[in-house]
């Protein structure tokens, strides 16, 4: 398109340049904030989380919600949500399903088989571009949202929203919006760090599940 009015052309160019610059700065801000959360997590000797897991899809009439807990230290963790418990001792992953009286044991689990707590906080390092999003006040806490947009065009994730307590540099909420309209939300209601966990926290005692079917992979 030919622009006859040079002053108008200059204004369009100027504001366009300013907006691109602001966007670049905001993307850098978003990445820096996520890096601060990751650095903060790595400084903890242990974490103990209580959270709400919510899955919804209005189009499909799906609305599920459950409470869960996560205890972690280093690469080890214990997760309990929706009637399923998982224990990862750093080498093997134990998935305990009480309803089926079943235990699945996976040895030599790689990154595709188990998600370590570290991955919960550094997943953003590959495969996403970032946008600075809204700031909310939640019961006196300032929660800044960062939008993570997948760079893979074939992914089933439309985007993620990470809500971060900007004072504590802790993850408060993580929202995943799927291309099919499914929305998964994890909201952390309790975040306790650096507690002395019992030595057997991440130990699986097979004797406790003698009546369960043990499936080894």
């Amino acid at each position: 398109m030919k622009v006859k009015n040079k002053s108008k052309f200059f204004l369009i160019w100027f504001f366009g340049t300013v907006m691109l610059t602001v966007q670049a700065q905001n993307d850098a801000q978003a990445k820096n904030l996520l890096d601060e959360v990751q650095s903060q997590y790595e400084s903890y000797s242990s974490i103990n989380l209580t959270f709400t897991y919510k899955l919804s899809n209005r189009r499909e009439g799906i609305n599920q919600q459950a409470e869960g807990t996560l205890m972690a230290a280093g690469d080890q963790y214990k997760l309990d949500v929706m009637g399923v418990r998982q224990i990862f001792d750093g080498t093997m992953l134990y998935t305990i399903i009480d309803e089926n009286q079943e235990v699945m044991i996976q040895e030599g689990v790689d990154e595709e088989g188990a998600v370590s707590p570290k991955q919960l906080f550094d997943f953003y390092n590959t495969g996403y571009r970032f946008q600075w999003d809204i700031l909310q006040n939640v019961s006196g806490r300032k929660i800044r949202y960062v939008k993570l947009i997948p760079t893979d065009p074939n992914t089933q994730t439309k985007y993620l929203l990470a809500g971060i307590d900007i004072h504590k540099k802790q993850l408060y909420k993580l929202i995943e919006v799927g291309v099919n309209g499914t929305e998964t939300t994890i909201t952390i209601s309790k975040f306790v760090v650096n507690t002395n966990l019992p030595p057997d926290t991440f130990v699986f005692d097979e004797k406790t599940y003698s009546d369960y079917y043990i499936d080894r992979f």
Side-chain angles (χ1 to χ4, degrees):
M1 180 180 68
K2 185 176 180 181
V3 181
K4 295 181 179 179
N5 189 321
K6 291 185 178 180
S7 62
K8 182 179 179 181
F9 175 78
F10 175 79
L11 288 175
I12 293 173
W13 170 84
F14 176 78
F15 284 109
T17 303
V18 169
M19 289 306 295
L20 285 173
T21 303
V22 169
Q23 182 65 48
Q25 289 175 340
N26 284 344
D27 285 351
Q29 280 182 297
K31 177 65 163 60
N32 289 340
L33 182 57
L34 291 170
D35 286 344
E36 287 178 333
V37 173
Q38 169 63 11
S39 178
Q40 184 80 308
Y41 168 75
E42 290 180 344
S43 72
Y44 299 141
S45 62
S46 68
I47 62 171
N48 194 335
L49 308 181
T50 301
F51 61 89
T52 300
Y53 169 88
K54 184 177 181 181
L55 178 71
S56 63
N57 187 314
R58 293 182 182 179
R59 192 166 51 196
E60 301 294 333
I62 298 172
N63 190 16
Q64 300 176 347
Q65 184 168 314
E67 300 296 315
T69 59
L70 170 68
M71 289 185 288
D75 287 330
Q76 299 177 310
Y77 72 84
K78 186 175 184 180
L79 174 68
D80 192 340
V81 63
M82 297 188 73
V84 177
R85 290 193 305 282
Q86 281 194 329
I87 301 172
F88 185 59
D89 62 10
T91 303
M92 292 188 292
L93 174 67
Y94 305 88
T95 302
I96 306 159
I97 308 173
D98 291 327
E99 184 178 1
N100 300 340
Q101 287 194 305
E102 180 183 8
V103 178
M104 293 180 287
I105 303 176
Q106 294 171 265
E107 298 185 32
V109 176
D110 59 18
E111 290 185 356
E112 294 182 358
V115 177
S116 73
K118 184 177 184 294
Q119 288 175 285
L120 177 64
F121 295 95
D122 72 359
F123 69 92
Y124 65 91
N125 275 311
T126 56
Y128 296 95
R129 57 188 178 90
F130 316 104
Q131 289 181 358
W132 203 238
D133 214 278
I134 63 172
L135 178 67
Q136 288 185 338
N137 189 309
V138 180
S139 301
R141 301 168 65 188
K142 291 185 177 180
I143 307 298
R144 168 65 69 181
Y145 283 85
V146 172
K147 191 173 187 178
L148 299 94
I149 303 170
T151 55
D152 181 1
N154 298 316
T155 183
Q156 294 302 304
T157 300
K158 189 175 181 180
Y159 62 85
L160 298 170
L161 281 171
I164 297 165
D165 185 319
I166 60 175
H167 175 67
K168 295 182 178 180
K169 299 297 187 296
Q170 292 177 347
L171 185 66
Y172 163 70
K173 182 177 288 190
L174 184 63
I175 304 169
E176 179 186 35
V177 178
V179 294
N180 64 351
T182 299
E183 187 171 301
T184 306
T185 304
I186 295 175
T187 305
I188 299 173
S189 57
K190 183 180 179 182
F191 200 130
V192 180
V193 302
N194 299 331
T195 57
N196 293 321
L197 300 177
D200 61 350
T201 299
F202 310 111
V203 175
F204 174 76
D205 184 5
E206 192 166 332
K207 295 177 182 178
T208 304
Y209 303 94
S210 58
D211 295 334
Y212 282 45
Y213 174 73
I214 306 294
D215 195 1
R216 300 179 187 272
F217 293 87

